[in-house]
Amino acid sequence: MSKQDSDIEPYSAAAAPSPDTTHNPRLKIWNLWVILLANGAFALLTNLLFFFDGIPLFKNSTSRWALIFLGLLIYSLQAGLIFVLVRKFALNHWLQRPFHAVQWLWALAVGLTLWLLTNAFLFFKLPEATLRLNSGQSFWRFFTTFLLNSIPGALIEEFLFRYLPVRYAHMMQLSRTKTLLLFMAVVVFFTITHIPAYLWQYKYTLWSLWNPFTMGIAFFFVYYATRNLAFTTLFHAFHNNSWYLFGHAEHKDYSFIILVSIFWFLLRTRTQATLWQDDESHESPNPKASV
């Protein structure tokens, strides 16, 4: 073998650049916004359906399962829309990366631990008169709705409004200023998409939009810190529909989640010099898991 031949290293997958760490000129900012705007229009359309009599079976139904079925149908249609749009305007592997089983196992383990800690906190905080275990029937009603409606809805929103912007900013190596501007624009748009439900369907006041705005920032923080879509989805879903062993479900103190997210962030970035030197092997507390 000649010296010239010996200097040529064989191709290996490990040596190949990651598609998310190489600037891709095919992707533009409008690609991201086409996906977001199309889904915003879809959300507007589905909320407008409740103003017409075209679906009286669901609109006036007192059956919980009929409403759950309607939610599943809408989320399935939107998932199909997202699949088509991401394949056309983004990168195919973005549809697979955040759904690795290891990420969901980590999210479930951490989420269940936080739920148990919160219940222990409530046990010592609540008055003794309210320390009666909630019924198994109430848990079953919560769990079926949580599993079939709360999680699918939260997963779609977190994929669109947290995962895609963070992935785009990371891949395009945006400056911190441009990244913050992008994230704030997405939070504002996330808030706008809640106008049909908050103001028209539920008849809330304009001030009520402060809730999706602030929670949008909170969800962004949790996802950016953990880079775990499953954990952020569970947080989002539980914010919308919660259940505890004791008392009512209005407990909205998320201090444990914020602290865990900060700790998760420190673990994830412990070998990084800057936030934008993320290596895929450090985007989960498990070094072998990637986001």
Side-chain angles (χ1 to χ4, degrees), residues 24-139:
N24 191 326
R26 184 173 70 86
L27 276 182
K28 304 294 183 182
I29 188 64
W30 67 265
N31 294 64
L32 173 65
W33 281 104
V34 164
I35 298 173
L36 298 182
L37 289 171
N39 279 274
F42 180 88
L44 175 62
L45 175 63
T46 55
N47 278 278
L48 286 177
L49 289 177
F50 287 89
F51 288 92
F52 303 99
D53 296 327
I55 50 172
L57 174 64
F58 296 107
K59 182 177 180 180
N60 302 316
S61 176
T62 58
S63 170
R64 188 172 65 92
W65 285 105
L67 296 175
I68 289 177
F69 174 77
L70 175 61
L72 275 177
L73 177 62
I74 292 174
Y75 294 141
S76 298
L77 292 174
Q78 190 171 9
L81 174 65
I82 293 171
F83 179 82
V84 171
L85 290 173
V86 171
R87 284 178 60 89
K88 182 175 179 60
F89 294 104
L91 302 177
N92 290 343
H93 72 276
W94 285 10
L95 293 166
Q96 304 170 355
R97 184 180 297 275
F99 299 104
H100 293 168
V102 173
Q103 295 181 46
W104 286 88
L105 290 175
W106 268 105
L108 288 172
V110 175
L112 181 59
T113 301
L114 288 173
W115 182 77
L116 291 173
L117 287 174
T118 303
N119 277 283
F121 174 77
L122 291 175
F123 179 80
F124 292 102
K125 177 184 177 182
L126 293 175
E128 186 175 352
T130 62
L131 288 180
R132 293 190 301 270
L133 285 174
N134 289 319
S135 67
Q137 182 180 4
S138 69
F139 172 76

Side-chain angles (χ1 to χ4, degrees), residues 1-258:
M1 179 182 295
S2 66
K3 183 179 185 302
Q4 182 179 6
D5 291 335
S6 64
D7 288 340
I8 300 177
E9 296 183 359
Y11 172 83
S12 67
S18 167
D20 270 0
T21 57
T22 303
H23 183 83
N24 191 326
R26 184 173 70 86
L27 276 182
K28 304 294 183 182
I29 188 64
W30 67 265
N31 294 64
L32 173 65
W33 281 104
V34 164
I35 298 173
L36 298 182
L37 289 171
N39 279 274
F42 180 88
L44 175 62
L45 175 63
T46 55
N47 278 278
L48 286 177
L49 289 177
F50 287 89
F51 288 92
F52 303 99
D53 296 327
I55 50 172
L57 174 64
F58 296 107
K59 182 177 180 180
N60 302 316
S61 176
T62 58
S63 170
R64 188 172 65 92
W65 285 105
L67 296 175
I68 289 177
F69 174 77
L70 175 61
L72 275 177
L73 177 62
I74 292 174
Y75 294 141
S76 298
L77 292 174
Q78 190 171 9
L81 174 65
I82 293 171
F83 179 82
V84 171
L85 290 173
V86 171
R87 284 178 60 89
K88 182 175 179 60
F89 294 104
L91 302 177
N92 290 343
H93 72 276
W94 285 10
L95 293 166
Q96 304 170 355
R97 184 180 297 275
F99 299 104
H100 293 168
V102 173
Q103 295 181 46
W104 286 88
L105 290 175
W106 268 105
L108 288 172
V110 175
L112 181 59
T113 301
L114 288 173
W115 182 77
L116 291 173
L117 287 174
T118 303
N119 277 283
F121 174 77
L122 291 175
F123 179 80
F124 292 102
K125 177 184 177 182
L126 293 175
E128 186 175 352
T130 62
L131 288 180
R132 293 190 301 270
L133 285 174
N134 289 319
S135 67
Q137 182 180 4
S138 69
F139 172 76
W140 175 248
R141 288 179 61 86
F142 153 78
F143 182 73
T144 51
T145 304
F146 184 78
L147 183 65
L148 299 177
N149 272 186
S150 302
I151 287 183
L155 178 59
I156 285 175
E157 289 193 342
E158 292 309 308
F159 182 86
L160 288 171
F161 298 111
R162 259 62 72 177
Y163 172 77
L164 289 183
V166 171
R167 181 58 57 191
Y168 175 84
H170 172 64
M171 193 200 71
M172 302 304 290
Q173 301 177 14
L174 299 183
S175 66
R176 291 190 180 183
T177 300
K178 290 183 178 180
T179 297
L180 288 175
L181 289 175
L182 172 62
F183 290 177
M184 287 307 301
V186 172
V187 168
V188 171
F189 183 66
F190 173 73
T191 305
I192 292 173
T193 61
H194 285 74
I195 288 178
Y198 273 60
L199 303 188
W200 303 342
Q201 184 177 346
Y202 302 129
K203 308 297 183 182
Y204 293 160
T205 64
L206 183 64
W207 180 249
S208 66
L209 292 174
W210 180 249
N211 179 61
F213 178 77
T214 54
M215 290 310 301
I217 295 175
F219 297 145
F220 240 128
F221 173 82
V222 171
Y223 177 71
Y224 191 84
T226 65
R227 301 295 174 90
N228 188 299
L229 182 66
F231 182 70
T232 315
T233 295
L234 291 176
F235 172 34
H236 187 157
F238 202 75
H239 168 75
N240 293 342
N241 179 25
S242 55
W243 187 88
Y244 296 99
L245 292 174
F246 312 100
H248 301 289
E250 286 80 16
H251 181 73
K252 300 297 183 182
D253 185 352
Y254 302 122
S255 303
F256 288 145
I257 293 178
I258 299 302

